[in-house]
Amino acid sequence: MTEHDQHSSFIKTPQQLVVVILLSFLVPIIGIVLLVQLVVSKPGADPNALTSESVAARIQPVGRVEFGAPAAAPGARNGESIVKTTCTTCHQAGVANAPKIGDANAWGPVIRRGLKEMLANAIKGKGAMPPRGGDASLTDDELARAIVYMANQSGGKLKEPAAPKQAAKPAAAQQQQAQAPAAKPAAAPASEAKPAPAAAAQAKAAAADGKAVYDKVCFACHAQGLAGSPKPGDKEAWAPRIKQGTPALVESVVKGKGAMPPKAGSPALTDAEIRAAVDFMVSQSK
Protein backbone atom coordinates (compact mmCIF):
# COMPACT_ATOMS: atom_id res chain seq x y z
CA MET A 1 0.00 0.00 0.00
CA THR A 2 2.81 2.38 0.85
CA GLU A 3 4.68 1.60 -2.40
CA HIS A 4 1.53 2.35 -4.41
CA ASP A 5 1.07 5.82 -2.78
CA GLN A 6 4.57 6.95 -3.70
CA HIS A 7 3.92 6.46 -7.44
CA SER A 8 0.33 7.68 -7.54
CA SER A 9 -0.64 10.53 -9.98
CA PHE A 10 -2.07 13.96 -8.92
CA ILE A 11 -4.86 13.48 -11.46
CA LYS A 12 -7.69 11.95 -9.50
CA THR A 13 -10.76 12.76 -11.61
CA PRO A 14 -11.64 12.97 -15.33
CA GLN A 15 -12.16 16.71 -14.98
CA GLN A 16 -8.57 17.19 -13.82
CA LEU A 17 -7.35 15.18 -16.78
CA VAL A 18 -9.26 17.44 -19.22
CA VAL A 19 -7.81 20.56 -17.63
CA VAL A 20 -4.25 19.23 -17.85
CA ILE A 21 -4.69 18.32 -21.52
CA LEU A 22 -6.07 21.77 -22.38
CA LEU A 23 -3.26 23.54 -20.56
CA SER A 24 -0.67 21.42 -22.31
CA PHE A 25 -1.98 22.82 -25.61
CA LEU A 26 -2.81 26.41 -24.61
CA VAL A 27 0.37 27.35 -22.74
CA PRO A 28 2.76 26.58 -25.62
CA ILE A 29 0.42 28.27 -28.12
CA ILE A 30 0.17 31.46 -26.05
CA GLY A 31 3.94 31.51 -25.58
CA ILE A 32 4.51 31.15 -29.34
CA VAL A 33 2.03 33.96 -30.13
CA LEU A 34 3.69 36.36 -27.67
CA LEU A 35 7.13 35.53 -29.01
CA VAL A 36 6.02 36.19 -32.59
CA GLN A 37 4.50 39.57 -31.63
CA LEU A 38 7.72 40.55 -29.87
CA VAL A 39 9.77 39.74 -32.95
CA VAL A 40 7.60 41.31 -35.65
CA SER A 41 6.24 44.33 -33.75
CA LYS A 42 7.80 47.78 -34.38
CA PRO A 43 7.71 50.78 -32.01
CA GLY A 44 5.01 53.24 -33.09
CA ALA A 45 5.94 56.87 -33.67
CA ASP A 46 3.94 59.81 -32.37
CA PRO A 47 2.11 61.28 -35.40
CA ASN A 48 2.68 64.79 -34.02
CA ALA A 49 6.42 64.31 -33.53
CA LEU A 50 7.26 65.38 -37.09
CA THR A 51 5.19 68.56 -37.20
CA SER A 52 7.11 71.80 -37.72
CA GLU A 53 6.22 73.05 -34.25
CA SER A 54 7.49 69.88 -32.54
CA VAL A 55 10.71 69.86 -34.53
CA ALA A 56 11.33 73.54 -33.78
CA ALA A 57 10.75 72.92 -30.06
CA ARG A 58 13.27 70.06 -30.03
CA ILE A 59 16.05 71.88 -31.86
CA GLN A 60 15.64 75.32 -30.30
CA PRO A 61 18.78 76.69 -28.57
CA VAL A 62 19.19 76.51 -24.81
CA GLY A 63 19.53 80.28 -24.43
CA ARG A 64 18.69 83.41 -26.35
CA VAL A 65 20.22 86.83 -26.69
CA GLU A 66 17.71 89.62 -27.22
CA PHE A 67 18.59 93.21 -28.01
CA GLY A 68 16.10 95.76 -26.75
CA ALA A 69 15.84 99.44 -27.40
CA PRO A 70 17.83 101.56 -24.91
CA ALA A 71 15.95 103.57 -22.32
CA ALA A 72 15.04 107.06 -23.43
CA ALA A 73 17.36 109.78 -22.19
CA PRO A 74 16.05 112.35 -19.69
CA GLY A 75 14.11 114.98 -21.57
CA ALA A 76 13.04 112.64 -24.36
CA ARG A 77 10.66 110.33 -22.47
CA ASN A 78 7.03 110.35 -23.53
CA GLY A 79 4.06 110.87 -21.26
CA GLU A 80 2.82 107.29 -21.28
CA SER A 81 6.15 105.80 -20.17
CA ILE A 82 6.52 108.39 -17.39
CA VAL A 83 3.01 107.68 -16.12
CA LYS A 84 3.67 103.92 -16.05
CA THR A 85 6.95 104.24 -14.16
CA THR A 86 6.17 107.13 -11.80
CA CYS A 87 2.57 108.34 -11.66
CA THR A 88 0.56 105.10 -11.48
CA THR A 89 1.70 104.56 -7.89
CA CYS A 90 -0.97 107.02 -6.74
CA HIS A 91 -3.05 107.93 -9.77
CA GLN A 92 -3.94 104.34 -10.66
CA ALA A 93 -5.57 103.62 -7.29
CA GLY A 94 -6.46 107.19 -6.25
CA VAL A 95 -4.11 107.14 -3.27
CA ALA A 96 -4.09 110.31 -1.12
CA ASN A 97 -6.92 111.86 -3.15
CA ALA A 98 -4.91 111.72 -6.36
CA PRO A 99 -7.40 111.79 -9.27
CA LYS A 100 -7.63 108.34 -10.83
CA ILE A 101 -6.65 107.99 -14.44
CA GLY A 102 -9.86 107.66 -16.43
CA ASP A 103 -12.08 109.35 -13.84
CA ALA A 104 -13.48 112.27 -15.82
CA ASN A 105 -15.39 113.66 -12.82
CA ALA A 106 -12.25 113.85 -10.68
CA TRP A 107 -10.11 115.28 -13.47
CA GLY A 108 -12.67 117.83 -14.72
CA PRO A 109 -11.94 120.58 -12.14
CA VAL A 110 -8.21 119.89 -12.37
CA ILE A 111 -8.17 120.20 -16.16
CA ARG A 112 -10.13 123.46 -16.03
CA ARG A 113 -7.28 125.05 -14.06
CA GLY A 114 -5.08 124.69 -17.10
CA LEU A 115 -1.86 122.89 -17.88
CA LYS A 116 0.27 125.74 -16.53
CA GLU A 117 -1.13 125.43 -13.00
CA MET A 118 -1.09 121.62 -13.06
CA LEU A 119 2.55 121.68 -14.15
CA ALA A 120 3.48 124.14 -11.40
CA ASN A 121 1.89 121.86 -8.78
CA ALA A 122 3.72 118.84 -10.16
CA ILE A 123 7.06 120.66 -10.12
CA LYS A 124 6.70 121.96 -6.56
CA GLY A 125 4.68 119.07 -5.16
CA LYS A 126 1.25 119.26 -3.62
CA GLY A 127 -0.27 117.42 -0.68
CA ALA A 128 1.18 113.92 -0.49
CA MET A 129 2.76 114.25 -3.95
CA PRO A 130 6.48 115.03 -3.70
CA PRO A 131 8.15 117.50 -6.09
CA ARG A 132 8.25 116.14 -9.63
CA GLY A 133 6.29 113.11 -8.54
CA GLY A 134 9.33 111.88 -6.61
CA ASP A 135 11.51 111.56 -9.74
CA ALA A 136 14.00 114.41 -9.75
CA SER A 137 15.26 113.37 -13.21
CA LEU A 138 12.00 114.45 -14.88
CA THR A 139 12.25 117.66 -16.85
CA ASP A 140 9.46 120.23 -17.03
CA ASP A 141 8.53 119.10 -20.55
CA GLU A 142 8.37 115.46 -19.44
CA LEU A 143 6.14 116.37 -16.50
CA ALA A 144 3.89 118.27 -18.88
CA ARG A 145 3.67 115.25 -21.21
CA ALA A 146 2.74 112.99 -18.31
CA ILE A 147 0.06 115.41 -17.12
CA VAL A 148 -1.37 115.72 -20.63
CA TYR A 149 -1.41 111.95 -21.04
CA MET A 150 -3.34 111.40 -17.79
CA ALA A 151 -5.69 114.30 -18.47
CA ASN A 152 -6.48 113.11 -21.99
CA GLN A 153 -7.12 109.60 -20.67
CA SER A 154 -9.67 111.19 -18.34
CA GLY A 155 -11.75 113.29 -20.71
CA GLY A 156 -9.32 116.12 -21.47
CA LYS A 157 -8.18 117.32 -24.88
CA LEU A 158 -4.88 118.96 -24.07
CA LYS A 159 -2.05 119.28 -26.57
CA GLU A 160 1.12 117.43 -25.63
CA PRO A 161 4.35 119.47 -25.72
CA ALA A 162 6.58 118.48 -28.61
CA ALA A 163 9.61 116.35 -27.87
CA PRO A 164 12.93 118.21 -28.22
CA LYS A 165 14.83 117.58 -31.42
CA GLN A 166 18.13 115.88 -30.80
CA ALA A 167 20.89 116.05 -33.35
CA ALA A 168 22.26 112.67 -34.29
CA LYS A 169 25.91 112.15 -33.42
CA PRO A 170 28.27 111.18 -36.21
CA ALA A 171 29.18 107.51 -36.34
CA ALA A 172 32.85 108.34 -35.80
CA ALA A 173 32.08 110.15 -32.56
CA GLN A 174 30.05 107.19 -31.31
CA GLN A 175 32.93 104.86 -32.07
CA GLN A 176 35.33 107.09 -30.17
CA GLN A 177 33.02 107.08 -27.16
CA ALA A 178 32.73 103.29 -27.32
CA GLN A 179 36.52 102.95 -27.41
CA ALA A 180 37.23 105.54 -24.74
CA PRO A 181 36.98 103.19 -21.68
CA ALA A 182 39.70 100.96 -23.14
CA ALA A 183 42.22 103.81 -23.26
CA LYS A 184 43.12 103.60 -19.55
CA PRO A 185 44.20 100.05 -18.69
CA ALA A 186 46.71 101.20 -16.07
CA ALA A 187 43.98 102.33 -13.66
CA ALA A 188 42.77 98.78 -12.97
CA PRO A 189 45.54 97.68 -10.53
CA ALA A 190 44.84 100.66 -8.28
CA SER A 191 41.26 99.52 -7.69
CA GLU A 192 42.42 95.98 -6.97
CA ALA A 193 44.87 97.19 -4.34
CA LYS A 194 42.09 98.55 -2.09
CA PRO A 195 39.15 96.09 -1.97
CA ALA A 196 37.82 97.38 1.35
CA PRO A 197 37.03 100.94 0.17
CA ALA A 198 35.50 99.51 -3.01
CA ALA A 199 33.18 97.27 -0.99
CA ALA A 200 32.20 100.21 1.20
CA ALA A 201 31.47 102.29 -1.89
CA GLN A 202 29.28 99.52 -3.32
CA ALA A 203 27.32 99.25 -0.06
CA LYS A 204 26.86 103.03 -0.02
CA ALA A 205 25.70 102.96 -3.64
CA ALA A 206 23.17 100.20 -2.85
CA ALA A 207 21.79 102.24 0.05
CA ALA A 208 21.58 105.28 -2.20
CA ASP A 209 19.68 103.25 -4.80
CA GLY A 210 17.19 102.14 -2.14
CA LYS A 211 16.63 105.73 -1.07
CA ALA A 212 16.21 106.79 -4.71
CA VAL A 213 13.51 104.16 -5.23
CA TYR A 214 11.85 105.20 -1.97
CA ASP A 215 11.87 108.89 -2.95
CA LYS A 216 10.48 108.10 -6.40
CA VAL A 217 7.87 105.43 -5.64
CA CYS A 218 7.32 104.78 -1.92
CA PHE A 219 7.43 108.31 -0.53
CA ALA A 220 3.92 109.27 -1.63
CA CYS A 221 2.26 106.79 0.74
CA HIS A 222 4.83 105.81 3.36
CA ALA A 223 5.89 109.36 4.24
CA GLN A 224 2.28 110.19 5.16
CA GLY A 225 1.28 106.75 6.46
CA LEU A 226 -1.53 106.58 3.92
CA ALA A 227 -3.80 103.52 3.70
CA GLY A 228 -2.07 101.91 6.66
CA SER A 229 1.42 102.05 5.16
CA PRO A 230 4.05 102.26 7.93
CA LYS A 231 6.07 105.45 8.08
CA PRO A 232 9.87 105.06 7.91
CA GLY A 233 11.19 105.59 11.43
CA ASP A 234 8.03 104.31 13.13
CA LYS A 235 9.63 101.42 15.03
CA GLU A 236 6.34 100.25 16.55
CA ALA A 237 4.64 99.97 13.15
CA TRP A 238 7.63 98.33 11.51
CA ALA A 239 8.51 95.84 14.29
CA PRO A 240 6.00 93.09 13.31
CA ARG A 241 6.86 93.54 9.65
CA ILE A 242 10.60 93.29 10.27
CA LYS A 243 10.00 90.01 12.12
CA GLN A 244 8.53 88.55 8.92
CA GLY A 245 11.91 88.91 7.23
CA THR A 246 13.04 90.80 4.15
CA PRO A 247 11.97 88.08 1.63
CA ALA A 248 8.38 88.22 2.91
CA LEU A 249 8.33 92.02 2.73
CA VAL A 250 9.71 91.99 -0.81
CA GLU A 251 7.12 89.40 -1.85
CA SER A 252 4.32 91.59 -0.44
CA VAL A 253 5.52 94.50 -2.56
CA VAL A 254 5.88 92.38 -5.70
CA LYS A 255 2.40 90.86 -5.38
CA GLY A 256 0.71 93.87 -3.79
CA LYS A 257 -1.00 94.01 -0.42
CA GLY A 258 -4.02 95.94 0.80
CA ALA A 259 -4.21 99.31 -0.97
CA MET A 260 -0.71 98.87 -2.40
CA PRO A 261 -0.84 97.61 -6.01
CA PRO A 262 1.71 95.06 -7.31
CA LYS A 263 5.22 96.52 -7.41
CA ALA A 264 3.78 99.62 -5.73
CA GLY A 265 2.16 100.58 -9.02
CA SER A 266 5.50 100.76 -10.88
CA PRO A 267 5.77 97.68 -13.13
CA ALA A 268 9.22 98.78 -14.31
CA LEU A 269 10.74 98.17 -10.86
CA THR A 270 13.02 95.16 -10.64
CA ASP A 271 13.06 92.80 -7.66
CA ALA A 272 16.52 94.13 -6.77
CA GLU A 273 15.23 97.72 -6.69
CA ILE A 274 12.26 96.68 -4.55
CA ARG A 275 14.57 94.89 -2.12
CA ALA A 276 16.84 97.94 -1.96
CA ALA A 277 13.87 100.18 -1.11
CA VAL A 278 12.64 97.71 1.55
CA ASP A 279 16.14 97.52 3.05
CA PHE A 280 16.29 101.32 3.16
CA MET A 281 12.96 101.69 4.96
CA VAL A 282 13.81 98.86 7.37
CA SER A 283 17.19 100.46 8.16
CA GLN A 284 15.38 103.69 8.99
CA SER A 285 12.95 101.90 11.32
CA LYS A 286 15.10 99.68 13.55
Side-chain angles (χ1 to χ4, degrees):
M1 184 70 177
T2 304
E3 183 179 355
H4 178 74
D5 292 340
Q6 291 177 351
H7 298 282
S8 61
S9 173
F10 65 89
I11 301 174
K12 305 294 186 182
T13 64
Q15 292 83 355
Q16 292 177 347
L17 178 60
V18 172
V19 171
V20 171
I21 294 173
L22 291 175
L23 289 177
S24 64
F25 281 99
L26 291 175
V27 170
I29 292 173
I30 294 173
I32 293 172
V33 171
L34 294 177
L35 183 60
V36 170
Q37 288 184 349
L38 179 63
V39 172
V40 300
S41 62
K42 295 181 180 180
D46 184 0
N48 297 323
L50 298 179
T51 61
S52 58
E53 293 82 2
S54 299
V55 174
R58 289 197 299 272
I59 66 175
Q60 67 178 350
V62 176
R64 295 181 180 178
V65 177
E66 296 183 359
F67 296 92
R77 291 168 286 189
N78 60 37
E80 182 179 3
S81 64
I82 296 169
V83 169
K84 288 181 178 179
T85 57
T86 304
C87 310
T88 53
T89 305
C90 295
H91 286 279
Q92 190 68 40
V95 176
N97 295 322
K100 289 184 180 181
I101 300 173
D103 187 344
N105 292 330
W107 274 94
V110 180
I111 294 173
R112 283 194 289 271
R113 297 173 192 164
L115 178 58
K116 185 176 181 179
E117 181 176 342
M118 289 189 289
L119 178 59
N121 290 335
I123 293 173
K124 296 178 181 179
K126 184 176 181 180
M129 179 179 65
R132 298 186 183 275
D135 187 350
S137 70
L138 292 177
T139 65
D140 292 355
D141 285 340
E142 288 177 326
L143 282 172
R145 292 186 206 116
I147 293 170
V148 170
Y149 176 81
M150 290 189 289
N152 289 348
Q153 293 292 313
S154 309
K157 295 182 180 179
L158 303 179
K159 183 178 180 181
E160 180 176 323
K165 296 182 180 180
Q166 296 181 348
K169 294 183 178 180
Q174 293 180 354
Q175 292 179 358
Q176 290 177 358
Q177 289 182 354
Q179 296 174 356
K184 298 180 180 179
S191 61
E192 295 175 357
K194 297 181 180 180
Q202 289 178 356
K204 185 176 181 180
D209 291 343
K211 186 178 186 303
V213 176
Y214 168 80
D215 290 340
K216 180 178 178 180
V217 179
C218 316
F219 176 88
C221 293
H222 282 276
Q224 308 295 329
L226 299 176
S229 58
K231 294 182 179 180
D234 188 342
K235 296 181 179 180
E236 184 178 353
W238 275 96
R241 293 173 170 84
I242 293 174
K243 288 182 180 179
Q244 297 175 13
T246 300
L249 295 176
V250 172
E251 184 179 2
S252 297
V253 179
V254 172
K255 295 182 178 180
K257 186 175 182 181
M260 179 178 62
K263 291 196 172 185
S266 298
L269 284 180
T270 64
D271 290 353
E273 289 174 325
I274 292 173
R275 184 183 181 90
V278 170
D279 288 341
F280 171 76
M281 288 188 285
V282 168
S283 68
Q284 301 296 309
S285 309
K286 287 185 176 180

